[in-house]
Amino acid sequence: MASRHAYNDTAPFLTQADNTEEMRDGGPVSRASDDEEESEGRGADDVEAVTGISYRRSVIIVMILFYINLLNYMDRFTVAGVLPDIENAFQIKDSDSGLVQTVFICSYMVLAPVFGYLGDRYNRKYIMCCGISFWSVVTLCSSFIPKQHFPLFLLTRGLVGVGEASYSTIAPTLIADLFVADQRSRMLSFFYFAIPVGCGLGYILGSKVTSAASGDWHWALRVTPALGLIAVLLLVIFVKEPPRGAVERRTDRPLTNTSWASDIKALLKNPSFVLSTLGFTTVAFVTGALGLWAPSYLMRARTVLCKDEQCQTPDYDDSLIFGLVTVVTGLLGVGAGVEISKRYRKVNPRADPLVCACGLLGSAPFLYLSLVFADTSLVATYVFIFIGETLLSLNWAIVADILLYVVIPTRRSTAEAMQIMVSHLLGDAGSPYLIGVISDKIRSGKPDSTLLKFRSLEYALMLCAFVGVIGGAFFLVTALFIVKDRKKAEMFSQGLLTESDSDDKIVVPKRGGSTRVPVSSVLI
């Protein structure tokens, strides 16, 4: 067994404190980051020997997962891109429009724990195949619903959540079982590029397909189902199920599953997981509200600026422009977030949550300014949106990486499911509807006008800036626990800590005897 000795979790909040030093009794040199360095140094051949999957095939698997994630978000935001057309077709108000996104998120949120449980115990590849097939069929069916049956349209949008829940809870855990250390972070960042890019392509798809179909928005919902069936074929042919947690083990003893109740209890006792989940919930709240309402808001702002109906012609396609902005800011934000965190982590082990906090706190004033300037200059509004969305996008890959390294492999799908459930329950499940309700309440009892429709939505969307500040605070608190929780998860994964070790204590050999010390005080 590898020698172990004391390690105190006393890393200052903004500086690195993991310097190596000799043990007082003349023992081996302390190695605060040796595990991470050893993982980073593990070659592709070593990982292939453990997983039975070549590096090249692992990269292909990540590309397929990226493609599916892209389709998920394209489908979700195609609806947002044609929302004004849906409102006109079904003759609904802002609050009803918000329900289109809310019912989807609610089903997605409720079903995520189910698929998280299944993903930790059964073949993840086949679960994803079934879910994506169902999602493709239901999405296609939703495009044939006549305008007299808005409740049925809501139902089909809700059922789409079945497919997304089966995928989003499982895909990141496959990546975690194929790569380690910096390779894992890079692959996760590539995987999460699909979120902003997919959102942007959704707006563009909705806009362009509707225009090509002579204003018939139904055709916009018929593109992603065909692409979804291609995704199923790619999964069946190319994706291979890797063993759970094998790349992180230091012993031949396999990890074993515990009961679902034990998994939930352990996750709730994990401060880094709980706090980062709450922080990510605010990200979901803001992106959910902006994702659905931003194109409509920009269109209303343009109408107020121009003072005539010409602003609603195809010459001013705000869904297309906002989609392009979302794609570019997503690419910049996700990539910058990973690189900044990677470099900052060399001097501060708490880098990940601190970068997330800075992203949220920095985005809040720019999102607020984008609303304030909308009736003065749309150019300024788009500039502020660009900066705000870029800062907001710093979080996506980093939050996923935090979850994977503070949670043991046999609980990761359950953890993904819990994070999805909480972030959607308190985040984007309600935010689009809430924004719509606030907008309707502001307009209630007043003579309807173009300016009032714009102002009511403006004041409602200002809530997003304040929620972003709250999220930044959650990530700052996460930084206080991240070092300890990461070390504890590593020791579980390496077989040096078991469920039977109670109260965060483990037995450590010391000069022929045994001593009980806190988990946070142990270094391999």
Side-chain angles (χ1 to χ4, degrees):
M1 181 180 293
S3 62
R4 296 171 283 181
H5 53 84
Y7 167 75
N8 295 318
D9 183 17
T10 57
F13 198 67
L14 293 175
T15 58
Q16 171 67 290
D18 290 342
N19 298 325
T20 58
E21 58 182 33
E22 296 288 336
M23 289 182 62
R24 292 185 179 180
D25 59 359
V29 175
S30 175
R31 297 157 58 205
S33 59
D34 279 4
D35 293 334
E36 187 171 342
E37 290 174 0
E38 183 177 341
S39 294
E40 289 175 1
R42 180 176 290 182
D45 292 339
D46 295 328
V47 174
E48 180 179 353
V50 174
T51 63
I53 303 173
S54 68
Y55 177 78
R56 182 178 180 181
R57 186 164 184 175
S58 296
V59 172
I60 291 174
I61 290 173
V62 173
M63 293 175 66
I64 293 171
L65 296 178
F66 168 85
Y67 169 70
I68 300 171
N69 207 27
L70 192 75
L71 291 184
N72 280 336
Y73 283 89
M74 280 178 61
D75 175 75
R76 189 185 303 187
F77 286 91
T78 296
V79 173
V82 296
L83 188 61
D85 299 291
I86 293 176
E87 286 181 323
N88 292 332
F90 290 107
Q91 292 296 301
I92 54 177
K93 298 186 296 184
D94 284 351
S95 56
D96 294 323
S97 300
L99 278 176
V100 173
Q101 194 78 333
T102 295
V103 294
F104 157 74
I105 296 297
C106 285
S107 71
Y108 177 38
M109 169 193 70
V110 170
L111 291 166
V114 176
F115 286 106
Y117 176 87
L118 296 174
D120 278 334
R121 290 160 177 81
Y122 302 102
N123 189 292
R124 292 169 285 187
K125 169 181 171 178
Y126 296 126
I127 294 173
M128 289 191 294
C129 287
C130 293
I132 295 168
S133 298
F134 182 82
W135 158 72
S136 299
V137 172
V138 173
T139 300
L140 182 63
C141 291
S142 70
S143 70
F144 292 99
I145 295 174
K147 61 183 179 181
Q148 304 95 318
H149 300 288
F150 180 65
L152 184 58
F153 181 76
L154 288 179
L155 176 62
T156 56
R157 292 306 301 170
L159 292 175
V160 170
V162 176
E164 291 214 25
S166 70
Y167 174 78
S168 298
T169 56
I170 293 173
T173 69
L174 284 173
I175 298 174
D177 289 335
L178 292 169
F179 301 95
V180 293
D182 279 351
Q183 279 192 344
R184 177 189 291 173
S185 297
R186 282 191 287 268
M187 291 302 172
L188 282 172
S189 68
F190 175 70
F191 174 76
Y192 282 104
F193 276 138
I195 295 179
V197 175
C199 295
L201 291 178
Y203 295 122
I204 296 169
L205 175 71
S207 171
K208 289 302 181 183
V209 173
T210 299
S211 297
S214 302
D216 187 355
W217 59 270
H218 295 89
W219 283 99
L221 300 182
R222 295 169 186 167
V223 177
T224 51
L227 298 175
L229 295 178
I230 295 174
V232 173
L233 293 175
L234 292 174
L235 279 173
V236 171
I237 297 171
F238 294 105
V239 174
K240 182 178 179 181
E241 175 85 357
R244 290 177 177 84
V247 296
E248 298 164 84
R249 301 293 283 170
R250 294 290 188 273
T251 68
D252 293 331
R253 184 176 58 190
L255 290 169
T256 57
N257 289 103
T258 53
S259 68
W260 186 79
S262 297
D263 291 346
I264 297 299
K265 183 178 178 181
L267 290 172
L268 291 176
K269 289 183 177 180
N270 187 327
S272 295
F273 169 73
V274 172
L275 290 166
S276 62
T277 295
L278 293 175
F280 184 66
T281 298
T282 65
V283 177
F285 184 99
V286 175
T287 55
L290 292 178
L292 186 72
W293 287 112
S296 295
Y297 176 72
L298 292 166
M299 183 179 293
R300 294 181 188 186
R302 193 179 295 278
T303 304
V304 169
L305 278 170
C306 297
K307 306 295 184 184
D308 58 39
E309 294 302 315
Q310 291 181 1
C311 299
Q312 297 184 24
T313 67
D315 293 333
Y316 303 98
D317 196 338
D318 289 295
S319 289
L320 175 62
I321 298 172
F322 185 73
L324 292 172
V325 169
T326 302
V327 170
V328 176
T329 57
L331 290 172
L332 289 175
V334 174
V338 171
E339 284 304 311
I340 292 170
S341 181
K342 176 184 174 182
R343 296 174 188 278
Y344 188 29
R345 200 183 301 143
K346 294 178 181 178
V347 297
N348 188 352
R350 309 182 193 278
D352 289 346
L354 291 177
V355 172
C356 290
C358 291
L360 273 170
L361 294 174
S363 68
F366 288 105
L367 293 178
Y368 180 83
L369 289 173
S370 71
L371 298 170
V372 171
F373 278 84
D375 61 342
T376 304
S377 169
L378 276 178
V379 173
T381 294
Y382 274 113
V383 170
F384 289 130
I385 288 176
F386 187 94
I387 299 172
E389 284 202 331
T390 300
L391 292 170
L392 198 63
S393 296
L394 296 179
N395 291 268
W396 290 107
I398 299 176
V399 172
D401 205 13
I402 289 174
L403 182 148
L404 292 173
Y405 66 62
V406 300
V407 176
I408 64 174
T410 54
R411 292 188 180 127
R412 284 173 179 163
S413 289
T414 298
E416 291 281 355
M418 278 192 66
Q419 190 169 87
I420 287 171
M421 184 181 71
V422 173
S423 63
H424 292 312
L425 176 65
L426 303 178
D428 55 353
S431 63
Y433 179 66
L434 178 61
I435 297 301
V437 169
I438 294 174
S439 177
D440 283 346
K441 287 294 183 182
I442 294 173
R443 290 161 54 188
S444 179
K446 301 180 181 67
D448 200 16
S449 68
T450 300
L451 180 61
L452 181 60
K453 290 178 68 176
F454 164 73
R455 289 295 181 200
S456 63
L457 192 52
E458 175 188 22
Y459 296 148
L461 286 171
M462 284 182 178
L463 179 63
C464 294
F466 297 100
V467 172
V469 173
I470 296 172
F474 278 125
F475 280 116
L476 288 176
V477 181
T478 303
L480 298 174
F481 301 95
I482 196 75
V483 176
K484 172 184 174 181
D485 291 336
R486 180 172 189 169
K487 176 56 63 178
K488 182 177 178 181
E490 286 175 355
M491 296 184 70
F492 267 110
S493 298
Q494 294 164 6
L496 300 172
L497 188 63
T498 66
E499 295 290 344
S500 60
D501 297 313
S502 60
D503 300 324
D504 265 3
K505 307 286 185 179
I506 62 173
V507 178
V508 180
K510 183 178 181 181
R511 296 185 182 180
S514 65
T515 304
R516 301 189 76 84
V517 299
V519 168
S520 58
S521 298
V522 176
L523 177 69
I524 302 159

